[in-house]
Amino acid sequence: MDTLKVVCGVSNRHLHLSQEDLEILFGSGATLTVFRDLKQPGQYACEEQVHLVGPRNTLRNVRVLGPVRKQTQIEISVTDSFALGLKPPLRDSGDLAGSEAITLEGPAGSLTLSEGVIIAKRHVHFHPSEAEPLGIKDKELIAVRVEGERGLVFENVLARVNEAFTLEFHVDIDEANSALLKNGDEVTVYRISL
């Protein structure tokens, strides 16, 4: 069985804003300010933060990731969904139709979205040159093995293959905690589920 070693990136709650929503929350003409670059080319964590307001609770100071997108997307964990009192679907990034509603509060204003909140599917970013030797295609489901004291195999991991991507395994903080994973830890990708 062909395998590949991949670095893990643990994703905490965050959001991606449209330009229109950015300006509502941070003021007319607002732009995003780079806090630090992320591993995926052109992606970065921003200085800007907002509050996520749900029916049960508010999560404060949630970081915005850049650059701006066509539609605002909020990615939270299952634990976050319990705290907020929401029931977001498990989705691939960008698949927002019919997803959960939420209110966002920024320093210049607030807005209520009718959709946009998801729990992101765990996934591996591949450049085509990294996926092809294993025969991995975009949107294919693969498996990822984590070694160690709380070792496990994540199945139903979405492969995302694109020229713009750099090899990296993304899980949310709940999934990472279940296996004691940290940013930079190495995992093993399998072409087929075990």
Side-chain angles (χ1 to χ4, degrees):
M1 181 184 303
D2 290 330
T3 64
L4 181 65
K5 294 292 187 184
V6 179
V7 170
C8 179
V10 178
S11 178
N12 202 351
R13 67 183 76 107
H14 63 273
L15 68 157
H16 307 268
L17 292 173
S18 68
Q19 184 61 41
E20 178 183 359
D21 292 347
L22 173 66
E23 293 191 35
I24 291 169
L25 296 167
F26 292 93
S28 180
T31 58
L32 295 173
T33 308
V34 177
F35 173 66
R36 67 176 167 82
D37 289 326
L38 302 177
K39 185 167 182 182
Q40 294 306 307
Q43 305 292 309
Y44 51 92
C46 303
E47 294 283 353
E48 289 75 19
Q49 298 177 33
V50 302
H51 304 325
L52 307 183
V53 182
R56 184 175 299 145
N57 203 347
T58 297
L59 297 178
R60 305 181 70 77
N61 304 318
V62 177
R63 194 166 299 280
V64 176
L65 300 187
V68 293
R69 293 194 176 180
K70 291 180 186 175
Q71 184 177 358
T72 294
Q73 173 175 303
I74 300 92
E75 298 178 38
I76 62 174
S77 69
V78 173
T79 300
D80 292 335
S81 74
F82 296 153
L84 288 165
L86 301 177
K87 294 182 179 178
L90 179 66
R91 296 275 182 86
D92 186 13
S93 180
D95 181 7
L96 302 178
S99 58
E100 184 67 274
I102 197 163
T103 297
L104 306 178
E105 292 181 348
S110 66
L111 63 101
T112 298
L113 300 172
S114 60
E115 62 184 20
V117 183
I118 63 170
I119 296 168
K121 288 183 177 179
R122 55 184 172 245
H123 57 276
V124 177
H125 289 279
F126 293 91
H127 185 273
S129 65
E130 297 155 338
E132 285 171 16
L134 293 178
I136 293 172
K137 307 290 185 207
D138 189 44
K139 305 293 186 184
E140 182 177 348
L141 294 179
I142 57 176
V144 172
R145 178 184 292 280
V146 179
E147 304 294 336
E149 205 172 351
R150 293 187 77 180
L152 55 78
V153 175
F154 287 110
E155 294 188 343
N156 300 318
V157 178
L158 185 66
R160 299 186 61 200
V161 182
N162 190 289
E163 293 278 347
F165 292 159
T166 296
L167 189 62
E168 188 177 25
F169 173 49
H170 280 179
V171 289
D172 71 26
I173 199 156
D174 284 355
E175 294 172 308
N177 286 342
S178 72
L180 296 178
L181 273 174
K182 319 180 290 304
N183 279 318
D185 284 353
E186 199 171 68
V187 297
T188 304
V189 168
Y190 293 82
R191 169 73 169 67
I192 57 173
S193 296
L194 299 178

